[in-house]
Amino acid sequence: MAVTVIDERAHTIDGAFDEGRVLVGADGVAGALGWEVKPEGLCRDDVCVPLPAGATTADGRVDLVAAARALGRPAVTEAGLGAIAIALPSEERTRALDALEAPPFTLPDLDGAPHALAEWQGRKRLLIAFSTW
């Protein structure tokens, strides 16, 4: 089944939801997190982070939530929608909060016309977020 991964962008990978876990192959981990699965854990270049016990299955699939958390990236899932949202690494979240700068984004106005945050550079702005859930 396709799993939608929402991080800096939205994309799909092959995987399956199983009792609160998102199980993916090594390619799915690389596609979602940018880290390679090796016997020593998750690796990027010469840095490896061990996976927690129980994060891999007998057939070699990896729990994407556990892998993300091992990298300091909180994750939430919604099996009914086939989606997982993965936060930025903690260092990037801390840096953004310390700098008091919002990341670049574009949102539509009430008429549907897109507006980028950069259009308001140098001016104070207030963003109100609302959700029905």
Side-chain angles (χ1 to χ4, degrees), residues 67-89:
R69 288 182 179 155
L71 296 171
R73 298 182 68 177
V76 295
T77 64
E78 178 51 62
L81 297 175
I84 179 172
I86 303 173
L88 293 171

Side-chain angles (χ1 to χ4, degrees), residues 10-11 27 38 70-71 76 95 133:
H11 52 102
D27 289 343
K38 293 185 177 181
L71 296 171
V76 295
R95 189 171 31 253
W133 48 270

Side-chain angles (χ1 to χ4, degrees), residues 16-126:
F17 285 82
D18 181 39
E19 299 180 10
R21 302 187 319 161
V22 180
L23 300 176
V24 300
D27 289 343
V29 174
L33 300 174
W35 290 69
E36 186 179 352
V37 178
K38 293 185 177 181
E40 36 296 11
L42 300 171
C43 300
R44 183 188 293 168
D45 300 324
D46 60 345
V47 176
C48 291
V49 175
L51 283 167
T56 57
T57 62
D59 63 359
R61 294 181 297 165
V62 176
D63 177 0
L64 191 55
V65 173
R69 288 182 179 155
L71 296 171
R73 298 182 68 177
V76 295
T77 64
E78 178 51 62
L81 297 175
I84 179 172
I86 303 173
L88 293 171
S90 59
E91 309 84 47
E92 290 183 42
R93 292 191 318 270
T94 300
R95 189 171 31 253
L97 288 171
D98 288 345
L100 297 176
E101 292 183 16
F105 62 87
T106 302
L107 293 172
D109 64 17
L110 295 175
D111 297 321
H115 293 279
L117 180 64
E119 293 176 29
W120 304 94
Q121 189 165 354
R123 298 170 53 188
K124 291 183 180 181
R125 49 224 174 252
L126 171 66

